[in-house]
Amino acid sequence: KHMCLVPEYKEMAEKWIIEGDWDPFYSELARLTLEGAKDNDKVVLSHATDKNDQRDHVIKKLIEGGASEDNITIIQLTIDPKVKARGLYHRTARQAEQSGMTITECCKAFMEFEGEMTEEKYIDMCLEFEAANAEYLFEVHPKAIMVDISGRDVTHFDNVDKALGLTRSTELPYESICAKVKPIDEARDKIVMESGFLLAFADFTARRKAQTNSLAIEEECEDEKKVEEMKKRRSTIVHCE
């Protein structure tokens, strides 16, 4: 998210999204985690990483950096798709506003649809996308502890605490935690969105799509050439016979 604030991160994001080279991006995630471990006994790396190769790469880099494999715990969060889509709608609406856009303007940079974006339209499009691209969605890591957070309430914390073997203080009720965390999350997003993140990401996505379409056209042309060559060879064989 800080790619518009740190030039090196923009280069990493471009290599990943445009060129498919995710190594620098995930190596940096591991480096930052190791940096955090210098001043803290416990470090949480939270990231929407969908492929096991990428997750294993981070773990490998952590171990190479001195972390003990026994001290690395992988938690994979699961959530009801409709609950997730509804939450994403409200987050996207807030981030669009922080970027100086409406949610309709923001979504049209990434999706194709008619009219204004509404909550129900957003949810339907998310569910349709997931259904059509099920094979490309988040892989289950064999070493991960699966934690369901569909409740979007105190059960979210209860399930994570149970997975980590933690006991939460009764002096920290759910409401007070939310009251502290949400403003921090929104302030962080405000800095990132005002930096032009959404427009930069939309540009990367458009360039990647154009590149993919170009490759598809090239492959189609190659196929057509092969068909013509086969026709010529067949014609030559018939002529010889």
Side-chain angles (χ1 to χ4, degrees):
K1 284 186 175 181
H2 288 85
M3 66 180 180
C4 292
L5 301 171
V6 183
E8 294 82 359
Y9 289 176
K10 191 168 187 177
E11 292 176 10
M12 291 177 187
E14 187 168 14
K15 285 182 72 69
W16 179 18
I17 298 170
I18 305 299
E19 301 176 19
D21 181 9
W22 47 259
D23 186 304
F25 182 94
Y26 284 98
S27 293
E28 178 65 5
L29 283 186
R31 188 193 70 79
L32 291 172
T33 304
L34 290 168
E35 281 294 313
K38 292 180 179 179
D39 302 313
N40 301 275
D41 293 334
K42 296 180 177 63
V43 179
V44 176
L45 168 59
S46 176
H47 190 265
T49 305
D50 56 344
K51 303 301 180 187
N52 285 335
D53 284 349
Q54 297 160 352
R55 296 166 181 160
D56 290 336
H57 179 80
V58 172
I59 295 169
K60 177 174 175 287
K61 289 295 181 182
L62 291 176
I63 295 172
E64 289 176 353
S68 169
E69 187 173 3
D70 294 335
N71 291 333
I72 299 174
T73 302
I74 307 170
I75 289 183
Q76 188 165 345
L77 306 180
T78 62
I79 187 171
D80 177 88
K82 193 168 185 176
V83 173
K84 180 178 69 174
R86 194 175 300 281
L88 283 174
Y89 170 82
H90 291 287
R91 188 183 73 175
T92 303
R94 186 188 76 235
Q95 291 177 340
E97 183 178 356
Q98 291 171 330
S99 301
M101 295 184 282
T102 65
I103 188 169
T104 298
E105 292 170 333
C106 174
C107 290
K108 285 194 173 180
F110 302 95
M111 313 175 186
E112 294 182 3
F113 60 92
E114 297 295 328
E116 297 295 308
M117 178 57 74
T118 64
E119 182 173 343
E120 292 309 313
K121 182 185 288 186
Y122 187 96
I123 292 171
D124 288 343
M125 290 185 71
C126 283
L127 296 180
E128 288 173 7
F129 177 83
E130 289 202 6
N133 297 275
E135 61 183 300
Y136 301 110
L137 299 181
F138 284 74
E139 297 175 350
V140 175
H141 196 280
K143 295 183 179 179
I145 301 172
M146 307 301 290
V147 176
D148 184 75
I149 57 170
S150 300
R152 312 309 286 163
D153 51 26
V154 71
T155 59
H156 176 151
F157 292 156
D158 291 341
N159 293 342
V160 172
D161 287 345
K162 182 179 179 181
L164 292 173
L166 301 176
T167 302
R168 190 169 64 256
S169 171
T170 55
E171 296 178 2
L172 285 174
Y174 176 76
E175 292 75 13
S176 66
I177 295 174
C178 290
K180 290 181 179 179
V181 173
K182 283 186 175 180
I184 295 173
D185 185 49
E186 291 175 8
R188 180 188 63 179
D189 271 354
K190 187 173 186 292
I191 294 172
V192 172
M193 296 305 140
E194 288 179 347
S195 74
F197 170 81
L198 283 180
L199 291 176
F201 191 76
D203 174 62
F204 284 167
T205 304
R207 287 163 58 192
R208 176 63 179 173
K209 184 177 180 181
Q211 184 183 69
T212 302
N213 290 341
S214 176
L215 289 173
I217 292 172
E218 288 178 7
E219 289 177 1
E220 185 177 339
C221 290
E222 285 298 318
D223 289 341
E224 289 177 356
K225 288 180 182 177
K226 289 178 182 178
V227 170
E228 288 301 316
E229 288 174 0
M230 289 176 65
K231 286 181 179 178
K232 289 178 182 178
R233 286 199 296 271
R234 192 174 297 123
S235 175
T236 302
I237 291 171
V238 171
H239 178 74
C240 290
E241 289 178 344

